[in-house]
Amino acid sequence: MTSAPLARPDPPTASELYVVLDSDDRLSYVSVGLQDELGGWVGHVLWDHLPGAREIYGPGFEEARSTGQAVERVVFYAGRAKRLTAIPAPDGLAVHIERIAALDVRTLGTLAQSLARIAEALGAREPAQPDLPARASLRALP
Amino acid sequence: MAGTVQAPFVVLDEEYTIVEVGPSAEGGFGPLAGQNLWACFPGSASLFRPYYDKAWRTGEPQEFVQFYRGYVTRVQAETQGDRLKVSWKELHTIDALTVTTLSESLARTIELIEDEQADVLRQEVRASLRLIRGEA
């Protein structure tokens, strides 16, 4: 007897992966798509959980806050290239996360291939301006 | 001998079934006793089996450095009758926290990998690293 393949939920989209930070970089909200990973961090300062990330993520967040404009950056942290979009709003800074490419360390071959994908992603560091009106809600780390 | 830490090892039969697990390997391999090595570690056969087969074929101990699942490991394979004892030492673990730690870690990995196949991959990795660091 063969069993029917299990239905898998679609992976979360970028719009479902976001957190909201207060002015001290404390997590005030974690979207459903990130609850398993970051849900326990609400109320905590983000940097306390992500060693070395402040130097990578922080400048974009500060730029968004100081300019009042959305700031989009492609960064590498913890084995992944990701696009972060920081959107300032009255109730905090929404940070949307789009996971672009992950390091695959299974073999030297997969490592080399995944590095190439990451290099390509990081090479495209000049994204189009985000569509601000369409991102009215607070949404955009791991 | 008191104070001596024995290298982790597993013992395999001719079908590559894990038949014994050394004390230092219990954490990772203990639950795998009785199972086929290649089934437990997908994608590893092409990396390790040629050396193990050679050890079976020649009766000579084999020693090599291999990369798998983010670890660079020095492996020794030695026949003991109808068993193959495989022991290993971890030389390096990939650190992918930041571009800086990854670059340093990959440079160390490349140093440690020795075989011919790795030459091509070394070049690919170096080219990608240059791009990632913005040096291209």
Side-chain angles (χ1 to χ4, degrees), chain B:
Chain B
M1 185 187 302
T4 300
V5 178
Q6 190 176 29
F9 71 87
V10 295
V11 178
L12 308 168
D13 69 11
E14 291 170 332
E15 303 298 321
Y16 289 107
T17 301
I18 301 169
V19 295
E20 185 185 339
V21 179
S24 303
E26 275 289 339
F29 286 81
L32 306 181
Q35 299 188 49
N36 180 270
L37 183 69
W38 313 125
C40 295
F41 297 94
S44 66
S46 63
L47 304 173
F48 295 87
R49 185 164 181 165
Y51 299 97
Y52 299 170
D53 286 349
K54 188 174 180 183
W56 285 117
R57 195 171 59 249
T58 65
E60 296 290 327
Q62 301 295 312
E63 182 171 321
F64 58 99
V65 174
Q66 191 54 276
F67 177 93
Y68 182 63
R69 288 189 175 181
Y71 295 90
V72 182
T73 310
R74 183 179 302 283
V75 182
Q76 291 178 310
E78 183 179 12
T79 54
Q80 296 181 341
D82 61 352
R83 297 287 190 254
L84 183 72
K85 180 179 178 180
V86 177
S87 57
W88 64 93
K89 180 181 181 185
E90 288 175 10
L91 303 178
H92 185 65
T93 308
I94 291 286
D95 180 347
L97 188 65
T98 69
V99 167
T100 301
T101 64
L102 179 62
S103 296
E104 293 168 359
S105 185
L106 288 173
R108 179 66 181 139
T109 298
I110 288 169
E111 271 178 29
L112 292 166
I113 300 294
E114 294 162 341
D115 65 47
E116 282 184 15
Q117 184 197 16
D119 276 341
V120 175
L121 294 168
R122 265 198 288 265
Q123 291 170 23
E124 291 179 15
V125 168
R126 283 180 174 140
S128 296
L129 272 177
R130 282 195 293 273
L131 283 170
I132 289 171
R133 292 190 295 230
E135 297 170 0

Side-chain angles (χ1 to χ4, degrees), chain A residues 17-75:
Chain A
L17 302 181
Y18 67 98
V19 298
V20 180
L21 304 174
D22 70 12
S23 56
D24 296 322
D25 290 326
R26 280 180 204 283
L27 286 146
S28 59
Y29 180 80
V30 174
S31 71
V32 173
L34 289 171
Q35 276 294 325
D36 288 348
E37 294 166 76
L38 310 184
W41 297 2
V42 172
H44 297 210
V45 174
L46 183 64
W47 316 124
D48 290 346
H49 292 278
L50 301 176
R54 187 170 199 157
E55 293 75 16
I56 298 167
Y57 298 161
F61 296 177
E62 292 314 309
E63 183 182 337
R65 288 184 173 115
S66 63
T67 64
Q69 302 292 315
V71 172
E72 188 169 308
R73 292 192 175 177
V74 176
V75 299

